[in-house]
Amino acid sequence: MAVDDIRVETDRLILRPPNAEDFEAWAAFQKDAETMTYIGGVKSRPESWRVLCAMVGAWRVRGYAMFSVILKESGQWIGRIGPWYPEGWPGREVGWAIAPDHAGKGFALEAAVASMDYAVDTLGWTDICHTIDPANLASIRLAERLGSTNRGPTRLPEPFHDARVDDWGQSRDQWVENRRKFQ
C-alpha cells in the first residue's frame, strides 16, 4: 500500500501520514510551550517545518512514523500520535502529543489504541515502548491506561541524550490482552 493511501479511522478520528497541509497547525502546536515541555521544547516555524519534513521522510524511508490526528467531524489537525523508531532510539515507540485545545477529551487514548493496534497488527512489532519523562504525569496516565508498565530508565540519542526518560511499554502479547478492554 502506498504511504498516501494509509488511513486508520476510529469513532472520532482519522489517522494518516502527515503532509504539507498540516504545517500551519503543526507549527502552532510546536510553538506552544506547555505542549512541547516533554517533546523537545518549543520550535520556531523553520524548525517545525524541518520536524514535519522529518516525519514525512520517516514514512517514506521506514514505511511508518507518527500519524497526523484529524478530527472526522471538522477535518482539523489536532496532534501527532503513532509508531516512531528513529535511528538510535531505545525501542520501537508509540508516542503521542495532542494540541492543548483538544487535550483531556479522550483523543489521545483513542488514537493511541489505534496506533498500538497498527504497530502490532500491521507492522508486526513484538514490543512497544513509550519514552516518558518521569514528570510527565499525563503521559504516564495514558501509558498506564494502555496497560504499559515502567520498565526503568532509558536513554535517547543525541540531541536528547540528557533528557531523563523512562521506558514504559509492553509486549505484543500483553497488548493483545490489554486491548480487549477497548473493544
Side-chain angles (χ1 to χ4, degrees), residues 108-148:
L109 178 63
E110 190 173 327
V113 167
S115 294
M116 296 282 284
D117 283 344
Y118 188 84
V120 166
D121 299 336
T122 302
L123 301 177
W125 288 5
T126 58
D127 189 78
I128 298 171
C129 79
H130 322 290
T131 55
I132 303 175
D133 184 301
N136 189 346
L137 301 181
S139 280
I140 289 170
R141 284 191 301 273
L142 179 53
E144 289 173 335
R145 288 187 70 190
L146 293 168
S148 293

Side-chain angles (χ1 to χ4, degrees), residues 14 21 32 41 47 52 57 72 77 87 112 121 124 127 144 148 151-152 181:
I14 296 168
E21 295 169 12
D32 183 80
E47 289 172 312
L52 173 65
K72 271 187 184 178
W77 185 96
E87 179 62 30
D121 299 336
D127 189 78
E144 289 173 335
S148 293
R151 302 185 291 196
K181 64 186 168 192

Side-chain angles (χ1 to χ4, degrees), residues 1 3 15 33 38 45 61 92 95 120 151 163 171 179 182:
M1 175 181 294
V3 168
L15 308 180
Y38 302 110
R45 281 182 64 84
V61 171
R92 287 177 169 81
V120 166
R151 302 185 291 196
S171 70
R179 72 178 167 190
F182 302 108

Side-chain angles (χ1 to χ4, degrees), residues 5-139:
D5 295 330
I6 295 172
R7 182 180 172 112
V8 176
E9 292 194 30
T10 68
D11 288 343
R12 302 179 294 165
L13 305 171
I14 296 168
L15 308 180
R16 60 153 173 79
N19 61 46
E21 295 169 12
D22 300 335
F23 179 62
E24 290 304 323
W26 188 289
F29 166 86
Q30 292 205 301
K31 186 172 82 173
D32 183 80
E34 184 178 343
T35 299
M36 296 302 292
T37 299
Y38 302 110
I39 54 174
V42 171
K43 303 285 186 263
S44 67
R45 281 182 64 84
E47 289 172 312
S48 291
W49 177 254
R50 289 191 294 276
V51 172
L52 173 65
C53 289
M55 200 65 68
V56 170
W59 271 102
R60 301 289 182 212
V61 171
R62 291 233 192 242
Y64 62 86
M66 288 195 186
F67 295 104
S68 279
V69 181
I70 310 297
L71 289 177
K72 271 187 184 178
E73 187 175 282
S74 65
Q76 182 181 8
W77 185 96
I78 65 163
R80 58 185 171 103
I81 293 180
W84 184 235
Y85 189 47
E87 179 62 30
W89 217 249
R92 287 177 169 81
E93 178 166 22
V94 168
W96 46 76
I98 293 289
D101 291 349
H102 300 284
K105 299 176 182 175
F107 295 127
L109 178 63
E110 190 173 327
V113 167
S115 294
M116 296 282 284
D117 283 344
Y118 188 84
V120 166
D121 299 336
T122 302
L123 301 177
W125 288 5
T126 58
D127 189 78
I128 298 171
C129 79
H130 322 290
T131 55
I132 303 175
D133 184 301
N136 189 346
L137 301 181
S139 280

